[in-house]
Amino acid sequence: MEEKEEEEDEIVRLRLGETMSLRVVMQGLPAPTVNWTKDGCGALRPEVQCSVSAQTKSALCQLRRVTSGDAGRYTVSIHNSRGTDRRNFNVVVLEAP
């Protein structure tokens, strides 16, 4: 896995109260480590569930009942000794008019 050029952000639109599910497919040898951040900060809220599945070769970041405060740029960094790959999600939370 080599350092890749960042792709354009994927825009994810959710309604207030919906469940956010951000998933990326990954692979690499040695097995990569995965780190999620929001708006460039190191830690996500404790309510945000992040997991890695070896079976589906994917990383998932999930949050139930989103609020307007959950909007922002989520970044997943996938890293091993051969390089780093990143993917960005621009999460927009739509409120009722």
Side-chain angles (χ1 to χ4, degrees), residues 65-85:
R65 295 181 296 279
V66 296
T67 67
S68 58
D70 296 315
R73 187 181 202 207
Y74 290 77
T75 302
V76 59
S77 297
I78 302 168
H79 175 80
N80 68 11
S81 60
R82 301 188 68 187
T84 300
D85 198 2

Side-chain angles (χ1 to χ4, degrees), residues 20-95:
M20 174 185 80
S21 292
L22 309 176
R23 182 183 306 270
V24 293
V25 176
M26 58 176 211
Q27 63 182 14
L29 284 175
T33 59
V34 176
N35 185 47
W36 289 90
T37 58
K38 179 182 180 246
D39 297 330
C41 297
L44 298 176
R45 292 188 316 138
E47 295 84 8
V48 180
Q49 302 289 320
C50 297
S51 62
V52 176
S53 170
Q55 286 181 325
T56 61
K57 296 183 181 175
S58 65
L60 174 68
C61 182
Q62 192 169 55
L63 175 62
R64 288 174 172 52
R65 295 181 296 279
V66 296
T67 67
S68 58
D70 296 315
R73 187 181 202 207
Y74 290 77
T75 302
V76 59
S77 297
I78 302 168
H79 175 80
N80 68 11
S81 60
R82 301 188 68 187
T84 300
D85 198 2
R86 288 180 188 83
R87 184 159 176 203
N88 299 307
F89 298 86
N90 184 11
V91 175
V92 178
V93 179
L94 306 170
E95 297 188 37

Side-chain angles (χ1 to χ4, degrees), residues 4-35:
K4 292 187 179 177
E5 215 174 281
E6 280 193 35
E7 297 177 15
E8 196 170 307
D9 291 7
E10 179 177 334
I11 298 173
V12 178
R13 289 181 178 83
L14 300 166
R15 289 190 177 95
L16 196 64
E18 287 186 324
T19 297
M20 174 185 80
S21 292
L22 309 176
R23 182 183 306 270
V24 293
V25 176
M26 58 176 211
Q27 63 182 14
L29 284 175
T33 59
V34 176
N35 185 47

